[in-house]
Amino acid sequence: MKGARGAKLDWFRVFCAVLVVTIHTDPLESAFPTGNLILTRIIARIAVPFFFMVTGYFLRDALEQGCLGRTLKKLCLYTLAAMVLYLPLNLYSGDWKGLTIGAAVRDILLDGTFYHLWYFPAVIIGLLLVGGCVRLLGWKRTGIVVSLLYLIGLGGDSWYGLAVRVPGLRAFYDWLFSWMDQTRNGLFFAPMYLWLGGSLARREPDRSVCGIGLLLSGCAVFAEAMLLHQAQICRFDSMYVTLIPVSLCLFGLLSGANTGNCKPLRTFSLLVYVLHPWCIVAVRFGAKFLGLWGPLVENRVVHFLLVCVMSIIVSALATAIWTHFRPKNRQPEAIPDRAWLEIDRVALAHNAMALSDRLPQGCELMAVVKADGYGHGAVTVARTLAHTGVHAFAVATLDEGIALRRGGIRGDILILGETPPQAVKLLKQYDLIQTVVDSVHARALENTGTPIRVHLAVDTGMHRLGIPVQDVDAMERVFASSTLRVEGIFSHLCAADSREEEDLAFTRSQIDAFFHAVDALKARGVAPGKCHLQASSGILYWPGLPCGYARAGIALYGVSSSGDEPLPETLRPVLSLRARIASVRELLPGDSAGYGRDYRPETPRKIAAVTIGYADGVPRCYAQGGQVLLRGRRVPIVGRICMDQLLIDVTGIPKVWPGDTVTLIGSDGEETITAMEMARVCGTITNEILSRLHVRNR
Ligand SMILES: *Cc1c(COP(=O)(O)O)cnc(C)c1O
């Protein structure tokens, strides 16, 4: 049950299954009819759309890639099992008498053979339809198709009374209802919610927008449903217009907080859905048998509670049995990774907060996630940070920016490096902000005629990129451009981590020159937009500058760049790097090991080969003085580091075995090796070590 506590979507499915029970038991009908209407015909109507949305959410990839085979096969089996389960009731009720073959086929393929079993055909048809449309038209345009279908469905459902006033539509719906019971069955209802669920799978919903949206659309659905019922317009009441925003906001809130999944819960909620009509029959039968029809059935609340408790007990038992006896070997056995990174998202979120706390009012953290998030995985990092309220990201290249957008990251994304003018269409398409690296670049971008968002780089002494800080005229010209929308201006401090007298003075001069230029622009009536100057060391050692952004890179990952200046205690390392032992062997004096026979022990030693090498990002020079952790102890690397493997000396550690975990960066027991230690041994900075990590997992 890994992640069960964070499995918000799966827990809510259970709640929805109970809502469906209310629909079929009308608990408030006798005591409070209006309340019953509100509960079962309005509130409980979120349940089935929610089921569809969860399905679409988790099947987004399969829908796009057209690989639904296994899911559909499973759904068909479920349909069949449910049909067989309810066959006794079909036979008992006698409604099979006079059933034509055509009607039987319709029931099986569209309406369901029992009153709640329309759900399975609807999911199957919906998945086929959305999957097909997505392949043909793309994800976005499929939205039009599902909307049209939904509209048709609405007209045959709660908007029926109005729809049939349109000339021709009555005949259309008469024809429709000649071959299906309700428009929620089959193809008019499910596709919309499957599509919406899938759409949310690639987004980071804004919690407050969803919260307010849920409140407003909740009121709207209430108003819509009450009006339609009062005016007796509904033919059925499964579909409302405003059910769409309600479902969207509700799902956005839950999916935003969802951090795990729990298969047994999913099985359980499905079973409650499938089994509760049987429980209704059982409760009624029991009540009749005991002569307690009045208190157990006519009292709707008691009836509902009994059905609920019984459904829950039966479903829980069935889930337990199913989970226990399920053939386990059908799932392919997990393959242990060869080498892997562990990303501590909690530490990352914590670091972002700790850094944000150091910024003055009005200054926002811009998370630098270039070079695949300093080797941590850019999309993972950006998603985690988006949850903690970071809205601005910086990358080095166009492709890095596009990768973030494709990973569903919203907010501002600034490309810090040069992008050639030929790429402006992509900048615009993915809504990326481009750095203008100098006047020549500005002109080249402008000549494309494509309007794009930019930040202007200013050279305050690093002499890498930027318009020279003295040249306010040139800056003003960029701001005056008709196609470049300048939203910010920035420079980069190149010695902010140094405590040397001379460097301190240099940094001060960079800061002064930058704000001098900004003031000069303001004096000319130019609104400079967001100003930013500090990277990690600027945030730590030059706090309080009046900027709109601060660009945090290395400090966000809880690592000091060079170790000359230790990080504040509060920042925690985010990444661990681990690999496995592949093979263990004994060496005798006179033996040598590795390329060039570099390692020549003078006493008997036990060595082990580890599944990671310089192609994974462990610098080759780390062999001289590098250590790793095994069973909480430090052991040395011996011989030369190979492309895909390295050797360690494990003499004296008992029972070392292939598969054992080796830690290159991170903690094991009491011992820790930091990225800083690896950088120091290799004579470089942590930025280089981390950004070059490129682990091949298997
Ligand atoms: C890489 C980079 C940063 C982030 O630097 P850190 O020292 O890692 O915080 C900030 N600004 C620019 C322009 C950069 O290139």
Side-chain angles (χ1 to χ4, degrees):
M1 280 243 221
K2 194 172 150 203
R5 278 181 54 205
K8 301 282 188 297
L9 292 173
D10 292 337
W11 279 107
F12 200 78
R13 271 175 59 117
V14 175
F15 177 66
C16 285
V18 174
L19 285 182
V20 173
V21 179
T22 70
I23 297 178
H24 296 146
T25 53
D26 289 314
L28 303 177
E29 192 179 52
S30 43
F32 180 27
T34 314
N36 193 63
L37 178 86
I38 294 172
L39 174 65
T40 64
R41 311 289 122 169
I42 306 179
I43 296 176
R45 289 309 184 194
I46 58 166
V48 173
F50 187 83
F51 286 140
F52 289 143
M53 285 184 80
V54 176
T55 306
Y57 184 81
F58 287 112
L59 289 182
R60 165 84 190 236
D61 287 337
L63 283 166
E64 277 187 323
Q65 291 154 17
C67 45
L68 289 164
R70 270 180 62 158
T71 308
L72 290 174
K73 204 167 107 189
K74 208 165 69 183
L75 282 168
C76 288
L77 281 176
Y78 289 174
T79 315
L80 201 68
M83 265 166 52
V84 171
L85 192 66
Y86 281 90
L87 207 55
L89 292 184
N90 293 135
L91 294 176
Y92 177 76
S93 70
D95 55 9
W96 53 276
K97 288 178 200 143
L99 189 73
T100 63
I101 293 198
V105 169
R106 233 177 46 196
D107 278 352
I108 293 170
L109 295 184
L110 215 56
D111 294 327
T113 56
F114 207 68
Y115 60 77
H116 66 316
L117 293 184
W118 63 274
Y119 176 80
F120 289 112
V123 185
I124 294 171
I125 293 172
L127 285 172
L128 283 170
L129 197 132
V130 174
C133 276
V134 167
R135 302 281 286 174
L136 281 176
L137 305 171
W139 189 267
K140 281 203 179 136
R141 268 174 284 179
T142 299
I144 302 171
V145 177
V146 300
S147 303
L148 286 174
L149 288 172
Y150 195 79
L151 208 62
I152 298 173
L154 266 179
D157 198 85
S158 58
W159 286 77
Y160 180 74
L162 287 178
V164 292
R165 292 198 198 161
V166 179
L169 277 191
R170 183 180 293 274
F172 169 72
Y173 282 111
D174 281 348
W175 168 76
L176 208 57
F177 289 126
S178 70
W179 54 271
M180 72 194 298
D181 287 347
Q182 295 197 28
T183 48
R184 62 145 195 220
N185 303 354
L187 70 168
F188 298 116
F189 183 40
M192 168 58 97
Y193 292 102
L194 290 168
W195 180 79
L196 285 176
S199 302
L200 284 181
R202 299 279 165 82
R203 283 182 193 257
E204 202 69 52
D206 185 317
R207 292 241 203 138
S208 38
V209 172
C210 288
I212 297 168
L214 183 59
L215 214 66
L216 294 178
S217 53
C219 296
V221 82
F222 180 75
E224 179 186 349
M226 288 313 265
L227 275 174
L228 293 172
H229 278 96
Q230 294 276 305
Q232 304 197 323
I233 283 168
C234 308
R235 179 178 176 125
F236 302 104
D237 47 19
S238 305
M239 302 170 71
Y240 302 109
V241 179
T242 45
L243 196 55
I244 295 175
V246 169
S247 307
L248 209 54
C249 295
L250 181 68
F251 199 91
L253 275 181
L254 289 162
S255 68
N258 196 60
T259 53
N261 54 53
C262 179
K263 214 144 183 219
L265 275 182
R266 252 182 247 181
T267 311
F268 173 69
S269 55
L270 186 72
L271 283 169
V272 171
Y273 183 90
V274 172
L275 297 178
H276 75 274
W278 252 119
C279 297
I280 294 178
V281 173
V283 166
R284 290 175 167 240
F285 185 78
K288 205 174 241 173
F289 184 73
L290 297 172
L292 294 172
W293 188 263
L296 298 191
V297 176
E298 275 171 17
N299 185 330
R300 309 302 297 171
V301 179
V302 173
H303 176 243
F304 161 73
L305 289 176
L306 281 177
V307 171
C308 234
V309 169
M310 190 166 170
S311 304
I312 287 172
I313 291 175
V314 172
S315 304
L317 278 175
T319 307
I321 293 169
W322 172 251
T323 318
H324 189 75
F325 287 105
R326 222 163 81 98
K328 298 277 190 298
N329 56 2
R330 266 201 284 147
Q331 296 243 330
E333 209 180 331
I335 302 169
D337 282 335
R338 168 184 169 272
W340 67 97
L341 300 175
E342 287 166 17
I343 304 300
D344 183 346
R345 293 171 184 234
V346 177
L348 179 64
H350 164 86
N351 294 346
M353 312 266 215
L355 289 170
S356 291
D357 285 347
R358 292 173 168 260
L359 304 178
Q361 268 289 299
C363 183
E364 245 186 85
L365 196 75
M366 176 183 274
V368 182
V369 295
K370 59 191 180 185
D372 202 17
Y374 289 51
H376 293 59
V379 172
T380 308
V381 168
R383 279 197 189 145
T384 308
L385 292 175
H387 278 306
T388 71
V390 174
H391 309 293
F393 301 91
V395 293
T397 71
L398 175 66
D399 278 354
E400 288 179 352
I402 293 175
L404 285 191
R405 287 288 187 234
R406 292 213 172 131
I409 303 303
R410 294 193 289 172
D412 290 341
I413 300 178
L414 172 65
I415 299 175
L416 295 167
E418 185 260 6
T419 300
Q422 290 84 346
V424 286
K425 288 260 152 43
L426 287 173
L427 291 171
K428 193 165 151 47
Q429 182 187 339
Y430 286 97
D431 190 24
L432 302 170
I433 306 175
Q434 175 56 43
T435 293
V436 171
V437 306
D438 59 19
S439 298
V440 177
H441 192 218
R443 227 168 298 129
L445 290 173
E446 190 164 21
N447 286 342
T448 64
T450 305
I452 52 168
R453 306 166 67 190
V454 300
H455 280 203
L456 179 58
V458 176
D459 181 5
T460 51
M462 185 178 187
H463 297 332
R464 184 174 67 176
L465 298 179
I467 291 178
V469 70
Q470 314 79 8
D471 198 348
V472 180
D473 287 342
M475 294 178 210
E476 194 184 358
R477 275 198 293 279
V478 181
F479 276 95
S481 161
S482 55
T483 57
L484 305 181
R485 198 168 97 208
V486 190
E487 299 181 357
I489 181 167
F490 73 96
S491 189
H492 197 45
L493 304 175
C494 49
D497 57 340
S498 167
R499 304 279 86 187
E500 301 280 332
E501 202 65 49
E502 196 190 334
D503 292 331
L504 289 172
F506 184 83
T507 303
R508 169 98 340 254
S509 77
Q510 279 192 291
I511 295 170
D512 290 345
F514 177 73
F515 284 110
H516 192 263
V518 169
D519 288 340
L521 283 168
K522 283 184 187 159
R524 298 182 184 197
V526 173
K530 297 261 197 184
C531 303
H532 44 116
L533 196 52
Q534 301 137 295
S536 295
S537 48
I539 298 171
L540 297 176
Y541 310 125
W542 297 86
L545 300 183
C547 290
Y549 283 132
R551 306 181 302 265
I554 194 74
L556 207 47
Y557 306 99
V559 175
S560 152
S561 187
S562 64
D564 299 339
E565 294 289 340
L567 272 193
E569 290 279 317
T570 50
L571 297 180
R572 307 209 294 254
V574 172
L575 173 141
S576 304
L577 172 63
R578 306 191 206 272
R580 287 187 300 110
I581 284 185
S583 174
V584 186
R585 65 201 62 223
E586 312 277 345
L587 292 187
L588 294 173
D591 287 342
S592 62
Y595 283 119
R597 306 179 58 208
D598 220 36
Y599 179 56
R600 296 167 190 238
E602 282 158 14
T603 51
R605 312 298 299 176
K606 184 164 71 170
I607 63 167
V610 181
T611 54
I612 192 167
Y614 61 76
D616 300 287
V618 181
R620 195 163 169 275
C621 60
Y622 195 45
Q624 274 75 49
Q627 295 182 323
V628 302
L629 305 179
L630 175 65
R631 302 260 176 74
R633 285 165 64 176
R634 280 175 175 268
V635 299
I637 295 175
V638 295
R640 293 184 193 162
I641 291 179
C642 314
M643 188 182 283
D644 322 300
Q645 282 143 111
L646 54 82
L647 297 173
I648 56 177
D649 181 350
V650 297
T651 312
I653 301 185
K655 297 195 201 125
V656 179
W657 203 247
D660 288 356
T661 299
V662 169
T663 301
L664 291 103
I665 298 175
S667 297
D668 180 0
E670 300 289 295
E671 279 289 351
T672 300
I673 292 177
T674 61
M676 193 61 249
E677 175 176 336
M678 189 183 279
R680 197 181 299 119
V681 170
C682 297
T684 180
I685 57 174
T686 54
N687 308 46
E688 184 181 5
I689 298 284
L690 294 175
S691 65
R692 286 186 162 204
L693 288 178
H694 185 73
V695 170
R696 295 163 294 167
N697 294 116
R698 42 187 268 202

